[in-house]
Amino acid sequence: MRRLLIAGNWKMNCGPYDAAELLEGLIEKKSEIDENVDVLVCPPFVSIGMAVKYLYDTDIQVGAQNLHFEENGAYTGEISGSMLAESGCNYVIVGHSERRQYFGETDKTVNKRVHKALEHKLAPIVCVGESLEQRKSDKHFGLVKNQITAALHEVSEKDILDVVIAYEPIWAIGTGETASPEQAQEMHEHIRSVLTELYDEDSAEQINILYGGSMKPGNANELLGQKDVDGGLIGGASLDAESFSEIITIAEDLA
Ligand code: PEP
């Protein structure tokens, strides 16, 4: 019942011209692939307009990498949810570990951003995940539970169905290391049980839980083949049209 979602997080890469080139390649390759998988690209803010323009007659969706939790006003350098919605975004990444690590994002601000995203009909992709140290000291399950509980504070039973969770072990992001399929499945199952506790089993079964952390064509099949892995949030490999579309094809074959 859950459709796989393959989402590209371009991070701070691809201004409008590079975005156009990457999207041209992706559109060409994607046109040969069936449509049983949802596909999303999340370019940097300045390339969102270009992405929306290029993708308007395709089924590839556009998302942002962050949003501010206020509506508008004196927040120099920030972008609001209404601006993203107006620009054509359907999704927004919230609480990526790089934002938590380098930009002071906390569970509390993640929660505020989740609410703001939902208010503007942007599906928040809420990122959670542990450091290597936390995993080694066996704190990963508790930590992820706390991150999810805090991020979803006061999210209604209706709105939760629009939320996507991305499990991204920090030690696997951009490092070439991936969680093993077993480690991914184990954590995704845990996340679904946390969602069942917070909401109910029926809702938890409908929520997409993505895996992120050095997913590439060589490991996508095993990771995406896990029962509770409902797609991927893909950094590095989404910057190459060939690799990204290979992952989409792998997902299609599993769908
Ligand atoms: C990410 O940034 O969300 C990510 C998973 O990056 P990478 O695929 O490069 O590890």
mmCIF file of all heavy atoms in Angstrom, residues 9 11 96 98 168 172-175 212-215 233-237, ligand 1:
data_model
loop_
_atom_site.group_PDB
_atom_site.id
_atom_site.type_symbol
_atom_site.label_atom_id
_atom_site.label_comp_id
_atom_site.label_asym_id
_atom_site.label_seq_id
_atom_site.Cartn_x
_atom_site.Cartn_y
_atom_site.Cartn_z
ATOM 1 N N ASN A 9 18.535 14.608 -2.512
ATOM 2 C CA ASN A 9 18.910 15.799 -1.747
ATOM 3 C C ASN A 9 20.201 16.329 -2.358
ATOM 4 O O ASN A 9 21.261 15.761 -2.164
ATOM 5 C CB ASN A 9 19.134 15.413 -0.271
ATOM 6 C CG ASN A 9 19.694 16.568 0.544
ATOM 7 O OD1 ASN A 9 19.666 17.721 0.097
ATOM 8 N ND2 ASN A 9 20.203 16.274 1.730
ATOM 9 N N LYS A 11 21.747 18.977 -1.693
ATOM 10 C CA LYS A 11 22.550 19.772 -0.734
ATOM 11 C C LYS A 11 22.983 21.095 -1.397
ATOM 12 O O LYS A 11 22.243 21.631 -2.199
ATOM 13 C CB LYS A 11 23.740 18.967 -0.246
ATOM 14 C CG LYS A 11 23.349 17.568 0.231
ATOM 15 C CD LYS A 11 24.423 16.915 1.035
ATOM 16 C CE LYS A 11 24.046 15.479 1.303
ATOM 17 N NZ LYS A 11 24.807 14.868 2.358
ATOM 18 N N HIS A 96 17.585 17.809 8.709
ATOM 19 C CA HIS A 96 18.705 16.998 8.204
ATOM 20 C C HIS A 96 19.864 17.101 9.206
ATOM 21 O O HIS A 96 20.075 18.142 9.818
ATOM 22 C CB HIS A 96 19.132 17.522 6.827
ATOM 23 C CG HIS A 96 20.093 16.614 6.130
ATOM 24 N ND1 HIS A 96 21.426 16.579 6.449
ATOM 25 C CD2 HIS A 96 19.904 15.701 5.147
ATOM 26 C CE1 HIS A 96 22.019 15.675 5.678
ATOM 27 N NE2 HIS A 96 21.119 15.127 4.878
ATOM 28 N N GLU A 98 22.894 17.512 8.827
ATOM 29 C CA GLU A 98 23.845 18.606 8.561
ATOM 30 C C GLU A 98 23.310 19.924 9.114
ATOM 31 O O GLU A 98 24.073 20.785 9.545
ATOM 32 C CB GLU A 98 24.133 18.686 7.054
ATOM 33 C CG GLU A 98 25.017 17.539 6.607
ATOM 34 C CD GLU A 98 24.887 17.142 5.147
ATOM 35 O OE1 GLU A 98 24.259 17.879 4.367
ATOM 36 O OE2 GLU A 98 25.403 16.061 4.797
ATOM 37 N N GLU A 168 18.437 8.411 8.721
ATOM 38 C CA GLU A 168 19.747 8.676 8.139
ATOM 39 C C GLU A 168 20.814 8.563 9.224
ATOM 40 O O GLU A 168 21.087 9.556 9.925
ATOM 41 C CB GLU A 168 19.776 10.080 7.550
ATOM 42 C CG GLU A 168 18.764 10.308 6.452
ATOM 43 C CD GLU A 168 19.251 11.340 5.452
ATOM 44 O OE1 GLU A 168 19.579 12.459 5.878
ATOM 45 O OE2 GLU A 168 19.338 11.017 4.285
ATOM 46 N N ALA A 172 26.687 7.242 8.141
ATOM 47 C CA ALA A 172 26.580 6.720 6.774
ATOM 48 C C ALA A 172 26.372 7.832 5.751
ATOM 49 O O ALA A 172 26.348 7.572 4.551
ATOM 50 C CB ALA A 172 25.426 5.725 6.695
ATOM 51 N N ILE A 173 26.238 9.081 6.208
ATOM 52 C CA ILE A 173 25.930 10.159 5.262
ATOM 53 C C ILE A 173 27.215 10.694 4.639
ATOM 54 O O ILE A 173 28.099 11.195 5.334
ATOM 55 C CB ILE A 173 25.164 11.304 5.958
ATOM 56 C CG1 ILE A 173 23.812 10.784 6.443
ATOM 57 C CG2 ILE A 173 24.974 12.475 5.012
ATOM 58 C CD1 ILE A 173 22.983 11.822 7.145
ATOM 59 N N GLY A 174 27.300 10.543 3.327
ATOM 60 C CA GLY A 174 28.431 11.081 2.577
ATOM 61 C C GLY A 174 29.750 10.399 2.891
ATOM 62 O O GLY A 174 30.819 10.902 2.529
ATOM 63 N N THR A 175 29.710 9.266 3.551
ATOM 64 C CA THR A 175 30.943 8.607 3.980
ATOM 65 C C THR A 175 31.285 7.390 3.128
ATOM 66 O O THR A 175 32.382 6.851 3.216
ATOM 67 C CB THR A 175 30.793 8.097 5.433
ATOM 68 O OG1 THR A 175 29.679 7.192 5.476
ATOM 69 C CG2 THR A 175 30.559 9.229 6.407
ATOM 70 N N GLY A 212 18.417 6.846 4.298
ATOM 71 C CA GLY A 212 19.416 7.734 3.679
ATOM 72 C C GLY A 212 20.782 7.480 4.272
ATOM 73 O O GLY A 212 20.923 7.312 5.493
ATOM 74 N N GLY A 213 21.782 7.473 3.419
ATOM 75 C CA GLY A 213 23.162 7.258 3.872
ATOM 76 C C GLY A 213 23.905 6.438 2.845
ATOM 77 O O GLY A 213 23.842 5.214 2.861
ATOM 78 N N SER A 214 24.550 7.163 1.910
ATOM 79 C CA SER A 214 25.370 6.518 0.870
ATOM 80 C C SER A 214 24.612 5.454 0.074
ATOM 81 O O SER A 214 25.181 4.425 -0.292
ATOM 82 C CB SER A 214 26.649 5.925 1.487
ATOM 83 O OG SER A 214 27.409 6.942 2.104
ATOM 84 N N MET A 215 23.324 5.715 -0.191
ATOM 85 C CA MET A 215 22.611 4.783 -1.081
ATOM 86 C C MET A 215 23.088 5.036 -2.508
ATOM 87 O O MET A 215 23.229 6.174 -2.935
ATOM 88 C CB MET A 215 21.094 4.973 -0.999
ATOM 89 C CG MET A 215 20.345 3.883 -1.770
ATOM 90 S SD MET A 215 18.566 4.094 -1.794
ATOM 91 C CE MET A 215 18.102 3.422 -0.216
ATOM 92 N N LEU A 233 16.455 8.567 0.653
ATOM 93 C CA LEU A 233 16.841 9.976 0.558
ATOM 94 C C LEU A 233 18.308 9.929 0.157
ATOM 95 O O LEU A 233 19.148 9.405 0.897
ATOM 96 C CB LEU A 233 16.629 10.695 1.901
ATOM 97 C CG LEU A 233 16.964 12.194 1.922
ATOM 98 C CD1 LEU A 233 16.195 12.958 0.841
ATOM 99 C CD2 LEU A 233 16.628 12.810 3.286
ATOM 100 N N ILE A 234 18.575 10.441 -1.021
ATOM 101 C CA ILE A 234 19.861 10.168 -1.651
ATOM 102 C C ILE A 234 20.622 11.471 -1.901
ATOM 103 O O ILE A 234 20.109 12.379 -2.564
ATOM 104 C CB ILE A 234 19.617 9.414 -2.985
ATOM 105 C CG1 ILE A 234 18.945 8.069 -2.664
ATOM 106 C CG2 ILE A 234 20.908 9.192 -3.758
ATOM 107 C CD1 ILE A 234 18.000 7.602 -3.711
ATOM 108 N N GLY A 235 21.812 11.558 -1.354
ATOM 109 C CA GLY A 235 22.637 12.756 -1.527
ATOM 110 C C GLY A 235 23.511 12.616 -2.756
ATOM 111 O O GLY A 235 23.078 12.861 -3.890
ATOM 112 N N GLY A 236 24.742 12.175 -2.538
ATOM 113 C CA GLY A 236 25.746 12.105 -3.607
ATOM 114 C C GLY A 236 25.235 11.507 -4.913
ATOM 115 O O GLY A 236 25.411 12.101 -5.991
ATOM 116 N N ALA A 237 24.602 10.363 -4.838
ATOM 117 C CA ALA A 237 24.194 9.664 -6.067
ATOM 118 C C ALA A 237 23.051 10.368 -6.798
ATOM 119 O O ALA A 237 22.760 10.039 -7.950
ATOM 120 C CB ALA A 237 23.800 8.220 -5.739
HETATM 121 C C1 PEP B 1 21.743 12.904 2.588
HETATM 122 O O1 PEP B 1 22.355 13.941 2.580
HETATM 123 O O2 PEP B 1 20.552 12.933 2.901
HETATM 124 C C2 PEP B 1 22.439 11.674 2.188
HETATM 125 C C3 PEP B 1 21.874 10.528 2.459
HETATM 126 O O3 PEP B 1 23.634 11.814 1.572
HETATM 127 P P1 PEP B 1 24.522 10.644 0.875
HETATM 128 O O4 PEP B 1 23.595 9.833 0.031
HETATM 129 O O5 PEP B 1 25.537 11.373 0.065
HETATM 130 O O6 PEP B 1 25.111 9.844 1.976
#
